[in-house]
Every structure is written in C-alpha cells, then in structure tokens.
Amino acid sequence: NILYVRGLWAQQLGDEKAAARCFWEAIRKSPTHRRASYQLGLALQNIAPTAAAAFSERGARVTAADIDAAKLETAAAAVGTTPVVCNVADRDQVETMFATAAAAHGPIDLVCANAGIGRNKALMTTTPANLDLLFDINLRGPLWTAQASHAHVRATGHRGRNLFPASENSLSLPDAVRDMKLGAYAATKHALLILAEWLREEWAGEEITPALLFPGPVYTEPFRDAVASGRFGEGIDPARKAAIES
C-alpha cells in the first residue's frame, strides 16, 4: 500500500500530520489494514497527546480528570487545564468533579467520558474482582457521569453534550481480536451501547444529548506500555500479534 509507505516516510522526516493523513487514507482504502491503524494511533498521539490538549489549543476552557494525581498534574500544567483527581467508579467523586469544573469555568458544554480499561483474560478464568473492575470503570463510570451531567444541565439550563467511548466490540466480535480474550471487556462495551440508547430515550426533549464513539484499538499509555513490555495480546496467535505490533 503506497499510502502506508508514504506515511512511514513522513514519520521518518518528522512530519506527524502528513503521516497521520497518509495512514488515514490507507485505512479508508483498506479498512482491515492493521499496521496502518496502529501507526495512525502513534501519529495522532504525537500530534495531540490528549483530548484536553486538543480542546485547549482551540480556545476551550478545559477541566481534565484522572485517577493518577501525579500524571494529571503534569498533563494539566503542560496544556493549561484545571486538574481534578477523580475515580469515575465513585459516584461522589464524579459529582465533585462536575462541581469543581463548573466553579472554575461556568456551564459545561461537552463532557468526554474517556476513562476505560481492558483485560486480556478468558471468560472461564475471569474472577468477580476482574469483572467488578471492568464494569466499575467502563459502565458505572459513564452512568455516574451521565447522572452528574444531567443534574448540571437541569440546574443551569445550559445545553450539554456527552461523549462516551464505546468500541468496535460494542457491535460485534471483530476478527482482529478473536484470540485476545476480551470477552468481559466486550461485555462492558456492549452494555455501554444500550446504556446510551436508554439515555437518549430518557433525555428526549431535554437540553442534553448522548453520543458514542466506536474506535478500534486506541494507542493509550497503558496500551503502549503493554506492547513495550510484551504483555499485549498474551495468548494471541504469534503471527497476528506481530502484524498488530509492527
């Protein structure tokens, strides 16, 4: 694929934006091009490391939340956002996060509920603790966020939009991940899909709307660390793992 090769060349020259455009066009022409998808994730991370940075660069007043206080402070200082330490599995902490954001910046236009985790673990060996953690972050977190956002909209009368990270696993079992033991993770993402459908139903006629993203693999920091350490895709077919990582 010539577009993929051009993207690699642009990366070698340090032109990440051109590289991202080439990889994106390669994926448009060949949606199953795993190497282009992986390299696009790398390029996009180098262009805009976080959603907070992307919004800040466009003049938005941003509150960034994370469970890791040290990393949050570093990121917030780098992009000029208001930091709030928050565990999205804790409903009270989510409500405090909204109160802090509103006090700092006024009415909230957009909520990006990006927190999410995955585990490569077979369903037959998944433990209650494994399942609780996945559902706490990937489903309860979005629900508590939606509740706090709805309360904020009703209190302020300001229109609000909520963006939730679903997954290609919300819709089907993608061939690319069949060996990766993502059954419990996929269950949380499938549940998030119907959660958003019911939010749309319950919010009908109000000044608040839900929206979902359905990405493939996203090159987050935990994903990067797993690849670097060799933990990514444990148990996956070696040929398929090589194709994803290269």
Side-chain angles (χ1 to χ4, degrees), residues 13-208:
L13 297 177
D15 191 344
E16 296 290 353
K17 290 186 177 180
R21 178 60 184 269
C22 290
F23 294 136
W24 171 248
E25 293 297 337
I27 294 167
R28 286 185 62 194
K29 292 181 178 297
S30 181
T32 59
H33 197 314
R34 297 192 189 101
R35 293 185 179 185
S37 297
Y38 180 78
Q39 293 296 337
L40 177 61
L42 294 178
L44 290 176
Q45 187 180 48
N46 289 331
I47 292 170
T50 65
F55 285 121
S56 292
E57 288 171 0
R58 288 162 174 78
R61 294 172 295 172
V62 179
T63 296
D66 198 292
I67 196 171
D68 189 317
K71 290 182 179 179
L72 176 63
E73 288 290 345
T74 300
V79 300
T81 65
T82 302
V84 181
V85 177
C86 178
N87 176 3
V88 297
D90 187 316
R91 187 181 183 187
D92 291 339
Q93 289 189 34
V94 173
E95 291 175 353
T96 298
M97 174 185 67
F98 269 81
T100 302
H105 302 303
I108 299 169
D109 298 294
L110 174 65
V111 178
C112 297
N114 293 330
I117 59 170
R119 289 291 184 271
N120 297 97
K121 195 171 183 66
L123 288 172
M124 295 301 97
T125 57
T126 294
T127 67
N130 297 150
L131 203 62
D132 286 344
L133 181 61
L134 285 165
F135 273 90
D136 276 349
I137 305 301
N138 296 351
L139 187 67
R140 290 189 179 94
L143 177 56
W144 305 152
T145 301
Q147 289 180 350
S149 180
H150 182 249
H152 175 78
V153 167
R154 283 197 162 182
T156 63
H158 190 80
R159 182 168 181 77
R161 296 168 177 82
N162 291 256
L163 184 61
F164 301 107
S167 165
E168 59 183 354
N169 290 275
S170 299
L171 303 171
S172 66
L173 199 172
D175 183 64
V177 303
R178 284 185 180 274
D179 300 327
M180 293 175 62
K181 302 177 182 176
L182 292 173
Y185 163 82
T188 68
K189 292 300 182 178
H190 196 73
L192 182 58
L193 173 62
I194 195 60
L195 175 73
E197 289 282 357
W198 275 101
L199 287 175
R200 184 176 62 176
E201 180 74 15
E202 292 190 14
W203 289 348
E206 298 193 59
E207 293 297 309
I208 183 171

